[in-house]
Amino acid sequence: MCILRDIAAIAKGMSVTFREMFRPTIVENYPKGPGPLRGARFEERYRGVHVLQRDENGLEKCVACFLCAAACPSNCIYIEAAENTAEHRVSGAERYAQVYNIDYNRCIFCGYCVEACPTDAITHGHGFELATFNVSNLIYRKEQLLAPRPAHLGANAVFNRAEVEGGAPPVVAPGE
Amino acid sequence: MADLVSHPDEVKIVSKRFGQGATDIDRYLELDGYKAVQKALGIGPDALINEVKNSGLRGRGGAGFNTGMKWSFVPKQSPRPKYVLCNGDESEPGTCKDRLIFEHDPHSVIEGVVIAGLSVESHVGYIYIRGEYRYLSNIMQKAIKDAYARGFLGKNIFGSGYDFDVYWHGGAGAYEVGEESALMESLEGKRGIPRIRPPFPAVVGLWGGPTIINNAETLASVPHIILGGAEWYASLGPPRNGGTRLFCLSGHVARPGVYELPMGYNLKKMIYEVAGGIADGRRLKAVVPGGASTPCLTAEEVDVPMDFDSLMKAGSMLGSGGVVVLDDSTCMVKFALRTMQFYQHESCGWCIPCREGTDWLKKTLARFHAGEGVKKDIDNIQYLAENMLGRTFCPLGDAAAMPTIAFIKKFRKEFEDHLEGRPCPFEKEGVVKQLPVFA
Amino acid sequence: MADVNITLDGKKLTAPAGTLLIEACKNAGIEVPSFCYYPGFSLQGACRMCLVKIEKVPKLQTACTTVIGEGMIVTTDSPEIHQARKSMVELLLGNHPLDCPVCDAGGECELQDMTFAYGAAESKYIDIKNHREEQQWSPVVYFDRPRCILCYRCVRVCGEGMDVWALGIQNRGVASVIAPNKEDHLECEECGMCIDICPVGALTSGAYRYKTRPWEMKHIDTTCTHCGDGCRTTLGVRRADTGIEIVRGDNRDKSGINGDFLCIKGRYAFDFVDNEQRIKQPLIRKDGRLTPSSWEEAFELIGRRFAEICGREGGRAIGVIGSSKTSNEENYLLQKFARVVLGTNNIDHHRTGDFPAFARALAGKLDATASMRDVFKAPAMLVIGNDPTNQHPLLAWQIRNNVRLHRSRLYVINSQPIKLRRQATAFAHIPAGSEAKLVALLAGDDSVLDVLVSENTPREALLSLRDRLRGEQNLVIIFGAELRGEEMARLVKVGSAVSGAKFVCLGDYANSRGAADMGLYPDLLPGYLPVTQGKTFREEWGGLPDAPGLTIPQMVDAAKAGQLKALYVVGANPVARFNIDPFAFAKSFVVMQDMFLTETALIADVVLPGANAYEKSGTFTNTCGDLQLLRKAGEVTGTKPDFEIIVRIAERMGFDVRKLVPFGGGMWADMGQSRGAQSGEADRHSVWLEAHGLETKLSPFDPMAILDEIQRLVPGYHVSRRTLLSGTDQHTRIGGPGILHNPELIVPANDDLFTSGTLGRYSRALNSVLENQRRKPVETEVAAD
């Protein structure tokens, strides 16, 4: 009786094992999975490393209004503003961020900066692999945070208004 | 120069000398000219003011304030000179009465100014003529020159020992300057922007001196009151609304023109009998009873006597007597837009509600009329107008807001007909033309 | 005036008759919003924000144009009023570009505040906004037209306040626009008052545009370092890799002696501090060239040489030249250093006003000097000489607005048709150099009339001016450097005949008066005490040289004769100012401390990089004698305040520093732990100290340590320390016996609105304005409205 009960228990247990064996895997195989994310998957709302967005002309959306820095509870955003000129245009408005640093030693990924941004310039990306052996590497500069220039810019003259209208050189963000 | 019209119901007092060549001083003298001044010289200031007060003469410019009362506010003693101002800056759309007075009877205005001067012991008078009336300034200049030549003006007028000078001054084309304190600013050579009141012009007016300022028609009526007597003049109209008034009938009527009718004359009778009814057999739609700034009356509401108090009761105003008649071919949205274009163009820009309000009303109405309106625009137009009303620096904002509110309230249906991308139902071939810019 | 009873929101109040309703509300603690109303300027009634309900009046009334009346019952907030104000904000926002994230005014914008207060954040309008391009009116003034809400404050401050009338209104209706006087640009005094007074971001400053945001800066109230008037200027500072950078100068805190006023220099000319020519490390002349070295090396050299010369030849062989732009503490320390450490009375400075003669003339009369605030309140003013509009802008502002707001009478006597004549009740245009004759005339000597009479000023005008002046009371008499010595004494005598008369003696630089008060004279100790009578100081300091020392010209002669072995120049430029032959000091050891390599650097053997008034704490005394606090705002790495440099030199000479600066008497507290470790947090320790009225005097480099001694020993400086530290100006009396000097020693600075001694040369803002003016010839002045 005793043996029979044991066998039944094992069979029951193994039945779960065998059943699951043929179902798709739910566990993510990070960091050994396929693709650039190495198996990691994200919900859209995930708050990862910030991304500074560009507008449709490839100009930076950030106008250096300092509202993100003001909203930041951990005081991790540092900005220096400068004025755009006709020769050197970085953002769509009169002012742009000459320096934009986020100190990820301090950042708590609360998303207040994204809420505060009036131009939807700062957003949370899905980057999360921040670990480093040197804390000074955790201070991200604007060049690290900026979204890449849209591929269509330069590829097709229609998208690059400056080229179409003549005169002004194509927009190049500092650091590129 | 326009043709004159007439009707048997007219009581010709101010218009007595129209079309009789009274611009010539000799002809004017033949027509009892300058008799009132000579009589006034013997009456004395207090009695003069009382006479005008008793006649029930109310300001013909629009506000309808008792003229004699206004004069009595001028202090007897003043360290600064006192002035008399004739407001001939007639710019209200629908109103064209002062023009006829300047054109046909300029001396009566001069006479009125001198009598007003005598009543407050002033020695200087200014006749301010609307900028667009350049062609009338020659007539007025000649009249003043002639009066000086005869010794009716200047030192020792009529040998009485009293000195009185009259100058004319042309405006630069601003409706706003019809407002009395703005007119003074303009006369002083500044931007035509109203002043803060109090102090009122009767105490601190032109160049800081006590000033009486009256409409040209008001002043032109004064000599007749002095000659005919206060009781006679008062008896012409209903109580507290003495005398006659020049009504400028325009719009879709058979015989438009300026008619002098007693105060309290029925508006319906005025449209259908005096002006000969609606032209081309169409039906009456609305009437603007006193110039563009007064709320309109619908066809059902026109059976009212035309005097200050009755019209007030009917929810409108007598204003400056410019009766604009609209028939059923008129688009009220377009009419509202046209009115607002005028006020937007004429706002002096001093205070926020008028400057910004008229501009937004114009923009919204223009878009609305072109068929781009959305439902909330109708409420927005009313909201805007209601928020301008009573909050502006001078009455111009009210003048823009009041008719707009009336248009929305009384013709909301027509506004709704413009919605949902439909173009103006009144425009031929469904095309909305670019409206002419008022300049 | 009699009081009037009114009821405000149910509160029964009394206020003086003639008060405006909006002011009565403000005094009762009820806020009535307004854009166009600004105290002290003409009423507009244009913005309609201050609408209130007055009982028995059908329409809402504007509180800014209503004078309170007996029994008036007023409601300042109700749904109707709230809606009226909300609709005004809505209408304004209709055309206002909502570029707050970019706008300079964002964060300190009155329209933003109103939008928050009245909740008009959602727009009802969907039509296109009217747009116009931004304009640059001058190197320092930009105008963004769509942002303008047409409150006309700028027009009024420029016309009524500044008497410049450079701004006006063009067009009408919605096309109305503020316009500058010369088509597309301004020709004016560039005071920037229009920018300061703008409630929104329509007028922006060329120096500050798009640099940062108001809340990102730290705001530090300090005293302007340019002219002798001592305006308070608020410097906005932020971190920078070179130390602390000053980004903005403005007049945020209107509580200073300047009230609303600030001129171009106070507002923009802080930028000399980060000029690239600034010296940032000590320079020592080696083989004829100034070569960079370390502070240690420089101090070592100076200490050794000074000690050597003192030991060998005595203090006589060393000369010291002080500055009119260093603080009172530094000046006091410098003369103490000269007299006690070096043992010499050879100390002088660039004199721009004859203050010792002024002290002598006033001897015995207390309260006979007028403060800057008195000038604004005086019933009558007499201005002899000088051109306050150019040389003393704040004084001119006070005079103008006293005339405008208080109907004060102004009498102007000048050899030039200065601009203040436009406010004058009487203006006497006298021949150049005849100011002394005029004083004689005022004293009753009619024989000088022939000299004074000209076609502009007839005999009768002069006599009637004299009669009118004699009939005045509480007259404030202001005079420039035209009157010196005996002539000044005579004027003071004549003026004192007028009951309640007060005087202002004009000096040109920010601390000219302070330098004089602190005894930067070869024959005077602090407080105008002749060196021969300095008993208190002798006892305090334990000995003083008795004989008067050398003036600057005498030092030059002594150097030429080889008697002056060393010269110590602190923040002055004597070579340029006195046109000194550089070879005169060829054999002397010259130490200079300044911010820039000025002409004096030609003769210097050691140049030490000093700090300016914006980079140190201390006090300044303005030309009227008002003592004000300096607060440290900026910082440039590599420089040191003059105070510290002097103390270090004394230390290197082997002197006991404790005898020079009595430090250590203050509070001892743990500075490290209580201080907020995070950047941006308030310094709690200093807050605590301030709350208890205490100061730290822990270091020999702390100027506050020597302020104790100044207050104790210098007559006239016994002012309330607590009031001083709170940032309020304190009027000092001019004391001491004074002395008569050779009038030739006074060299007026002759700065105008756009120059500021040596500092002006290094200011980008001032230079850009000057350059702009050179391009466009300045026309004659604009007639007042």
Side-chain angles (χ1 to χ4, degrees):
Chain A
M1 269 313 275
C2 210
I3 294 164
L4 276 179
R5 208 166 51 210
D6 289 349
I7 292 168
I10 289 168
K12 192 184 173 191
M14 287 313 280
S15 72
V16 174
T17 308
F18 285 115
R19 195 166 66 231
E20 291 301 324
M21 209 180 269
F22 302 103
R23 288 197 182 170
T25 314
I26 293 174
V27 174
E28 284 162 21
N29 196 17
Y30 176 81
K32 295 199 173 139
L37 291 174
R38 291 183 286 160
R41 268 197 316 124
F42 294 94
E43 296 301 329
E44 254 320 287
R45 59 169 187 259
Y46 178 76
R47 299 199 292 257
V49 174
H50 300 86
V51 178
L52 288 173
Q53 301 291 348
R54 293 178 184 273
D55 64 13
E56 61 273 24
N57 296 319
L59 296 172
E60 287 169 22
K61 277 189 177 178
C62 176
V63 295
C65 74
F66 290 80
L67 284 179
C68 47
C72 182
S74 59
N75 207 0
C76 70
I77 303 179
Y78 176 80
I79 305 171
E80 277 177 27
E83 194 179 349
N84 278 313
T85 56
E87 298 79 44
H88 182 69
R89 176 156 286 280
V90 178
S91 79
E94 285 92 334
R95 189 170 53 210
Y96 72 98
Q98 197 172 30
V99 176
Y100 193 108
N101 295 346
I102 296 181
D103 182 354
Y104 284 105
N105 291 299
R106 302 179 68 119
C107 180
I108 58 167
F109 297 92
C110 65
Y112 282 11
C113 48
V114 179
E115 295 261 320
C117 185
T119 58
D120 292 339
I122 186 164
T123 56
H124 273 296
H126 290 167
F128 65 103
E129 292 164 314
L130 283 159
T132 170
F133 287 110
N134 185 348
V135 285
S136 60
N137 289 351
L138 280 173
I139 297 169
Y140 276 44
R141 287 172 299 122
K142 188 173 86 170
E143 293 72 29
Q144 292 164 281
L145 296 167
L146 260 179
R149 256 158 46 102
H152 63 252
L153 271 183
N156 181 341
V158 175
F159 288 104
N160 198 337
R161 205 167 288 166
E163 282 179 8
V164 174
E165 286 165 4
V171 180
V172 179
E176 282 190 34
Chain B
M1 301 281 157
D3 292 332
L4 291 167
V5 287
S6 69
H7 188 268
D9 277 4
E10 276 193 279
V11 181
K12 294 208 172 215
I13 293 170
V14 177
S15 61
K16 189 167 85 175
R17 306 188 188 98
F18 284 11
Q20 311 209 15
T23 49
D24 182 64
I25 194 159
D26 292 317
R27 179 74 183 129
Y28 183 72
L29 286 170
E30 274 169 39
L31 297 166
D32 299 338
Y34 286 111
K35 281 191 183 154
V37 186
Q38 292 176 51
K39 187 176 171 191
L41 277 166
I43 291 179
D46 291 336
L48 267 177
I49 292 177
N50 272 333
E51 189 78 359
V52 176
K53 219 184 259 178
N54 293 337
S55 74
L57 175 67
R58 289 172 72 167
R60 301 307 195 214
F65 195 78
N66 187 299
T67 306
M69 194 82 86
K70 200 172 188 176
W71 293 4
S72 66
F73 293 150
V74 175
K76 289 264 172 283
Q77 302 297 326
S78 161
R80 285 168 181 272
K82 303 176 199 175
Y83 299 97
V84 177
L85 276 178
C86 167
N87 183 348
D89 192 72
E90 176 187 61
S91 315
E92 181 101 353
T95 310
C96 50
K97 58 190 176 61
D98 297 344
R99 194 192 103 180
L100 289 182
I101 301 175
F102 289 130
E103 187 180 330
H104 292 283
D105 200 5
H107 286 285
S108 69
V109 179
I110 299 175
E111 217 180 329
V113 168
V114 179
I115 294 169
L118 291 172
S119 72
V120 294
E121 292 174 318
S122 148
H123 295 278
V124 185
Y126 287 92
I127 298 172
Y128 188 100
I129 301 174
R130 180 186 174 195
E132 287 86 342
Y133 286 171
R134 288 273 167 218
Y135 59 99
L136 297 179
S137 65
N138 295 337
I139 301 172
M140 188 43 88
Q141 271 173 291
K142 179 174 175 289
I144 293 173
K145 210 173 122 198
D146 291 345
Y148 266 104
R150 300 290 170 103
F152 299 166
L153 292 176
K155 294 251 176 268
N156 190 15
I157 55 171
F158 299 102
S160 63
Y162 196 88
D163 302 337
F164 199 88
D165 286 305
V166 171
Y167 306 95
W168 80 276
H169 188 92
Y175 172 66
E176 180 56 34
V177 173
E179 202 276 347
E180 53 186 24
S181 58
L183 189 141
M184 291 174 201
E185 290 279 298
S186 167
L187 199 56
E188 288 178 15
K190 302 174 189 159
R191 278 167 67 80
I193 282 167
R195 294 176 179 175
I196 293 167
R197 285 178 297 177
F200 289 96
V203 186
V204 181
L206 190 64
W207 286 300
T211 305
I212 53 176
I213 173 160
N214 282 108
N215 181 261
E217 187 191 347
T218 318
L219 287 171
S221 306
V222 170
H224 303 288
I225 295 168
I226 302 300
L227 280 183
E231 288 84 43
W232 162 77
Y233 191 79
S235 69
L236 294 170
R240 309 205 307 114
N241 288 278
T244 60
R245 160 136 230 203
L246 295 174
F247 288 102
C248 320
L249 285 147
S250 63
H252 300 128
V253 285
R255 286 196 303 276
V258 177
Y259 298 91
E260 183 161 17
L261 296 164
M263 293 287 269
Y265 197 84
N266 188 289
L267 176 59
K268 198 169 179 180
K269 219 170 140 192
M270 202 184 286
I271 297 166
Y272 287 102
E273 291 179 18
V274 179
I278 309 297
D280 304 332
R282 287 181 172 271
R283 285 188 317 128
L284 178 68
K285 185 174 196 177
V287 182
V288 178
S293 60
T294 54
C296 66
L297 299 170
T298 58
E300 293 76 43
E301 295 170 324
V302 294
D303 197 7
V304 283
M306 289 289 274
D307 63 66
F308 291 105
D309 301 326
S310 309
L311 271 172
M312 194 68 91
K313 243 179 268 166
S316 186
M317 278 158 50
L318 186 57
S320 54
V323 182
V324 183
V325 181
L326 308 172
D327 70 15
D328 56 1
S329 69
T330 318
C331 171
M332 292 310 285
V333 178
K334 188 173 175 183
F335 189 72
L337 168 60
R338 194 65 196 77
T339 311
M340 196 46 67
Q341 273 187 320
F342 172 78
Y343 286 111
Q344 190 262 357
H345 184 260
E346 291 296 344
S347 166
C348 76
W350 185 249
C351 68
I352 295 170
C354 178
R355 178 181 73 227
E356 305 288 341
T358 52
D359 189 50
W360 281 101
L361 280 173
K362 188 195 102 170
K363 279 184 187 172
T364 311
L365 283 166
R367 178 169 48 78
F368 199 93
H369 183 245
E372 306 264 317
V374 292
K375 197 149 193 306
K376 71 166 193 177
D377 280 337
I378 304 177
D379 290 328
N380 274 348
I381 292 169
Q382 187 169 353
Y383 173 86
L384 254 174
E386 275 169 1
N387 279 302
M388 284 165 69
L389 190 65
R391 288 168 192 166
T392 49
F393 190 77
C394 79
L396 196 145
D398 296 346
M402 279 189 301
T404 311
I405 297 172
F407 290 140
I408 297 262
K409 277 193 181 151
K410 295 180 180 174
F411 297 95
R412 196 179 178 98
K413 172 83 180 47
E414 239 170 77
F415 279 81
E416 282 166 358
D417 285 346
H418 282 75
L419 281 175
E420 287 154 25
R422 282 183 302 229
C424 176
F426 292 89
E427 293 289 330
K428 288 186 190 83
E429 292 126 28
V431 178
V432 178
K433 276 174 278 177
Q434 177 68 42
L435 286 156
V437 177
F438 195 91
Chain C
M1 270 199 270
D3 280 1
V4 172
N5 296 299
I6 51 168
T7 312
L8 281 181
D9 289 345
K11 275 193 271 185
K12 288 198 187 310
L13 302 163
T14 51
T19 312
L20 289 171
L21 186 50
I22 196 168
E23 286 291 327
C25 289
K26 197 197 275 175
N27 294 340
I30 299 167
E31 198 198 339
V32 175
S34 74
F35 291 120
C36 69
Y37 173 73
Y38 200 89
F41 295 120
S42 64
L43 303 177
Q44 309 284 289
C47 74
R48 320 305 286 175
M49 283 300 287
C50 63
L51 290 170
V52 292
K53 179 82 194 158
I54 301 172
E55 215 150 273
K56 292 183 192 134
V57 184
K59 287 182 182 178
L60 297 179
Q61 298 293 308
T62 46
C64 71
T65 59
T66 309
V67 175
I68 56 166
E70 182 62 41
M72 203 179 249
I73 302 173
V74 183
T75 316
T76 63
D77 207 358
S78 69
E80 184 195 8
I81 295 166
H82 192 90
Q83 174 56 37
R85 293 179 185 161
K86 182 182 170 187
S87 70
M88 294 310 144
V89 177
E90 277 176 340
L91 283 164
L92 277 179
L93 293 177
N95 262 331
H96 191 87
L98 299 179
D99 61 350
C100 307
V102 188
C103 178
D104 272 339
E108 50 182 18
C109 168
E110 293 181 31
L111 186 59
Q112 266 183 344
D113 296 347
M114 295 293 169
T115 311
F116 276 104
Y118 293 97
E122 229 164 87
S123 179
K124 287 188 159 41
Y125 317 119
I126 53 175
D127 297 277
I128 296 165
K129 295 182 184 221
N130 301 336
H131 182 75
R132 299 186 187 93
E133 287 304 310
E134 192 183 28
Q135 294 177 324
Q136 182 179 10
W137 283 351
S138 86
V140 289
V141 183
Y142 285 72
F143 182 52
D144 195 343
R145 294 194 282 176
R147 287 184 193 153
C148 176
I149 60 166
L150 289 167
C151 65
Y152 315 114
R153 282 190 198 176
C154 51
V155 177
R156 285 173 286 160
V157 77
C158 185
E160 297 168 16
M162 292 302 297
D163 191 28
V164 172
W165 305 97
L167 294 173
I169 310 154
Q170 265 178 6
N171 306 342
R172 72 174 181 210
V174 77
S176 300
V177 67
I178 305 292
N181 55 355
K182 293 284 180 291
E183 292 185 13
D184 63 342
H185 67 276
L186 275 172
E187 276 177 26
C188 66
E189 296 179 5
E190 309 280 2
C191 65
M193 295 279 292
C194 48
I195 300 170
D196 214 19
I197 209 163
C198 184
V200 294
L203 285 157
T204 51
S205 147
Y208 166 69
R209 266 162 68 88
Y210 302 124
K211 276 203 179 140
T212 181
R213 313 230 71 190
W215 65 84
E216 284 288 311
M217 294 182 285
K218 204 173 165 199
H219 300 277
I220 293 163
D221 291 330
T222 185
T223 310
C224 175
T225 183
H226 289 288
C227 79
D229 288 348
C231 291
R232 174 182 298 179
T233 167
T234 305
L235 299 173
V237 301
R238 66 176 182 187
R239 286 178 287 171
D241 45 8
T242 52
I244 303 171
E245 185 190 359
I246 304 174
V247 236
R248 178 168 85 170
D250 74 355
N251 200 15
R252 220 171 134 93
D253 181 355
K254 315 271 188 215
S255 66
I257 45 170
N258 43 332
D260 287 308
F261 177 80
L262 208 56
C263 79
I264 172 170
K265 287 187 263 187
R267 195 177 305 279
Y268 308 109
F270 55 80
D271 57 356
F272 64 85
V273 301
D274 55 0
N275 189 295
E276 55 196 17
Q277 294 180 42
R278 184 91 187 255
I279 329 164
K280 290 176 185 164
Q281 53 183 324
L283 306 171
I284 297 175
R285 197 173 289 279
K286 286 175 186 161
D287 305 327
R289 294 173 66 94
L290 286 170
T291 41
S293 72
S294 70
W295 279 102
E296 278 311 302
E297 195 185 345
F299 285 136
E300 176 63 39
L301 175 67
I302 299 166
R304 182 161 47 79
R305 293 295 305 269
F306 278 2
E308 244 174 55
I309 296 166
C310 277
R312 204 171 56 228
E313 320 229 353
R316 292 181 288 115
I318 303 184
V320 178
I321 297 175
S323 166
S324 303
K325 294 210 172 194
T326 49
S327 70
N328 286 329
E329 291 73 16
E330 287 164 343
N331 287 335
Y332 183 89
L333 181 75
L334 182 68
Q335 62 85 27
K336 189 175 174 184
F337 171 80
R339 292 182 166 124
V340 178
V341 182
L342 301 177
T344 177
N345 272 327
N346 295 345
I347 180 160
D348 203 353
H349 71 291
H350 171 201
R351 310 174 191 186
T352 53
D354 200 351
F355 293 109
F358 187 46
R360 180 174 164 270
L362 284 178
K365 290 192 202 74
L366 297 172
D367 296 328
T369 53
S371 70
M372 197 54 96
R373 291 183 194 270
D374 290 338
V375 176
F376 181 58
K377 288 181 295 200
M381 297 164 289
L382 167 66
V383 179
I384 305 178
N386 204 285
D387 179 5
T389 311
N390 276 315
Q391 297 172 22
H392 291 275
L394 171 61
L395 190 76
W397 164 273
Q398 299 286 73
I399 293 172
R400 269 197 308 270
N401 287 292
N402 190 11
V403 172
R404 185 170 65 87
L405 296 172
H406 305 146
R407 295 177 183 270
S408 167
R409 293 165 301 281
L410 171 66
Y411 305 96
V412 176
I413 297 167
N414 208 301
S415 57
Q416 297 295 321
I418 59 168
K419 199 172 165 197
L420 271 183
R421 76 181 189 284
R422 289 157 52 138
Q423 277 72 34
T425 313
F427 168 56
H429 193 167
I430 56 168
S434 61
E435 284 83 3
K437 297 272 192 306
L438 188 113
V439 173
L441 176 75
L442 294 182
D445 179 4
D446 285 353
S447 65
V448 294
L449 265 172
D450 298 333
V451 184
L452 295 168
V453 167
S454 65
E455 54 185 286
N456 297 325
T457 315
R459 191 184 175 87
E460 301 74 45
L462 287 167
L463 291 174
S464 91
L465 175 69
R466 182 169 74 186
D467 291 342
R468 294 192 69 157
L469 283 172
R470 281 175 179 170
E472 291 292 355
Q473 280 191 337
N474 299 328
L475 179 71
V476 168
I477 300 172
I478 301 160
F479 53 87
E482 287 87 346
L483 292 176
R484 303 166 188 174
E486 289 288 5
E487 295 155 8
M488 181 201 289
R490 194 164 189 191
L491 175 70
V492 171
K493 200 170 154 225
V494 174
S496 302
V498 175
S499 88
K502 288 186 176 185
F503 299 88
V504 175
C505 174
L506 296 177
D508 291 346
Y509 290 121
N511 205 23
S512 284
R513 170 72 181 268
D517 284 357
M518 293 304 127
L520 293 190
Y521 288 105
D523 49 358
L524 287 173
L525 289 165
Y528 305 100
L529 200 64
V531 280
T532 45
Q533 302 171 24
K535 189 160 169 284
T536 45
F537 288 99
R538 192 163 283 121
E539 282 167 7
E540 182 78 20
W541 296 343
L544 266 178
D546 290 322
L550 306 176
T551 61
I552 294 175
Q554 287 167 345
M555 288 183 208
V556 178
D557 293 340
K560 278 182 185 159
Q563 289 157 355
L564 198 77
K565 302 288 185 209
L567 182 69
Y568 181 28
V569 185
V570 177
N573 186 7
V575 172
R577 186 54 70 183
F578 297 95
N579 210 5
I580 294 171
D581 172 12
F583 293 104
F585 290 94
K587 289 184 190 137
S588 311
F589 175 67
V590 180
V591 177
M592 159 193 165
Q593 60 197 51
D594 207 328
M595 284 181 289
F596 301 102
L597 289 177
T598 59
E599 290 84 345
T600 303
L602 283 174
I603 62 167
D605 293 291
V606 182
V607 180
L608 300 172
N612 56 65
Y614 294 149
E615 295 163 0
K616 56 177 84 147
S617 50
T619 58
F620 264 2
T621 310
N622 76 358
T623 189
C624 296
D626 303 325
L627 186 67
Q628 295 188 92
L629 208 59
L630 282 178
R631 286 195 177 93
K632 181 176 168 175
E635 191 175 279
V636 172
T637 314
T639 64
K640 283 186 196 298
D642 299 300
F643 197 93
E644 183 181 338
I645 298 174
I646 299 167
V647 173
R648 283 193 186 242
I649 291 175
E651 192 199 2
R652 281 307 170 105
M653 288 176 69
F655 193 80
D656 179 7
V657 171
R658 209 166 278 270
K659 281 190 191 157
L660 195 62
V661 185
F663 72 102
M667 278 294 307
W668 291 92
D670 181 359
M671 300 287 283
Q673 281 175 11
S674 55
R675 181 184 285 271
Q678 309 284 353
S679 69
E681 282 182 35
D683 184 347
R684 274 173 282 153
H685 180 74
S686 69
V687 169
W688 182 84
L689 284 176
E690 207 164 303
H692 291 79
L694 300 168
E695 309 151 37
T696 47
K697 278 167 272 185
L698 304 177
S699 126
F701 308 136
D702 188 347
M704 282 301 152
I706 213 158
L707 185 60
D708 287 337
E709 192 175 312
I710 296 175
Q711 292 207 286
R712 200 153 40 83
L713 297 180
V714 181
Y717 276 73
H718 317 285
V719 294
S720 154
R721 190 70 164 265
R722 187 174 288 216
T723 317
L724 179 71
L725 288 175
S726 74
T728 310
D729 50 293
Q730 298 268 294
H731 189 64
T732 62
R733 291 175 179 147
I734 192 160
I739 206 162
L740 274 184
H741 282 140
N742 177 7
E744 300 287 311
L745 289 169
I746 290 163
V747 184
N750 290 328
D751 277 326
D752 64 16
L753 273 174
F754 309 112
T755 62
S756 177
T758 353
L759 292 185
R761 280 191 241 161
Y762 298 96
S763 162
R764 286 185 303 277
L766 291 182
N767 286 329
S768 64
V769 168
L770 281 173
E771 201 175 303
N772 195 47
Q773 282 183 347
R774 272 196 289 272
R775 269 206 305 274
K776 291 164 188 144
V778 180
E779 287 173 27
T780 48
E781 65 188 57
V782 185
D785 194 1

